[in-house]
Amino acid sequence: MNAYSEGTFADLIGLRYTELGPDRVCGEWVVKPHLYQPAGIQNGGVYCTVIETLASIAGGVWFGDQGTVVGVNNNTDFLRAVREGTLFGEATPLHRGRLQQLWQVVITDEQGRAVARGQVRLQNLPHRS
C-alpha cells in the first residue's frame, strides 16, 4: 500500500501504512513544520486526511472485489495539540453493511495518548452488471 500511495496526498503528508487488513488498518507519520497550522501545531486537516485515508483503505480492503467505496462523511475531533513526534492512526469498524460502512479512527502520540479521533461513513459501490 505504501508503494501504491506514492505521489498521493497521503504520501505528501508522510503517511506510512504499518498494518493492512479487513478488520484493522494502521498508519503513522512524523509531525513536521510543513504540516503545522499558524500556531505551530499539527494542522487539523492532517488529522482529517489520515482518518479519511485509513478508514477508506480499511473499508476498501473489507469490501474487496465486490466494488469500491467512497467517503460520504468525515467527523473529526481534535483532542490534544501536537508539535513534534510520531503519530499513529488505527481504523476499526463500527458497522459494515450491504450499502454503507462506519469506521472509527483513533490517532495517538508516542505516549499512547489520544490526540484526535474520527468517524468516517463509507458508501459501498458494487460493480455494475
Side-chain angles (χ1 to χ4, degrees):
M1 195 66 222
N2 290 317
Y4 183 72
S5 293
E6 283 183 23
T8 68
F9 190 56
D11 184 40
L12 180 67
I13 65 170
L15 180 63
R16 297 291 170 253
Y17 303 94
T18 58
E19 184 176 335
L20 185 67
D23 298 318
R24 184 169 115 137
V25 170
C26 298
E28 64 185 41
W29 76 100
V30 177
V31 177
K32 295 182 178 178
H34 74 281
L35 301 175
Y36 287 171
Q37 52 123 298
I41 59 175
Q42 175 73 87
N43 187 295
V46 175
Y47 296 128
C48 294
T49 296
V50 170
I51 287 167
E52 175 85 21
T53 301
L54 294 181
S56 294
I57 297 297
V61 170
W62 177 78
F63 201 53
D65 60 5
Q66 297 179 72
T68 189
V69 301
V70 294
V72 294
N73 187 20
N74 179 334
N75 181 295
T76 300
D77 296 306
F78 312 117
L79 307 172
R80 180 182 301 274
V82 176
R83 297 182 192 289
E84 61 184 11
T86 301
L87 295 178
F88 308 91
E90 176 185 19
T92 55
L94 296 173
H95 170 76
R96 294 182 287 197
R98 184 174 58 82
L99 297 177
Q100 291 191 345
Q101 302 178 49
L102 183 63
W103 287 79
Q104 174 177 270
V105 181
V106 177
I107 297 173
T108 56
D109 63 13
E110 292 169 326
Q111 290 76 43
R113 300 175 297 187
V115 299
R117 64 160 296 282
Q119 289 185 165
V120 175
R121 183 189 329 275
L122 301 169
Q123 185 73 38
N124 298 334
L125 302 175
H127 291 299
R128 293 182 183 208
S129 304

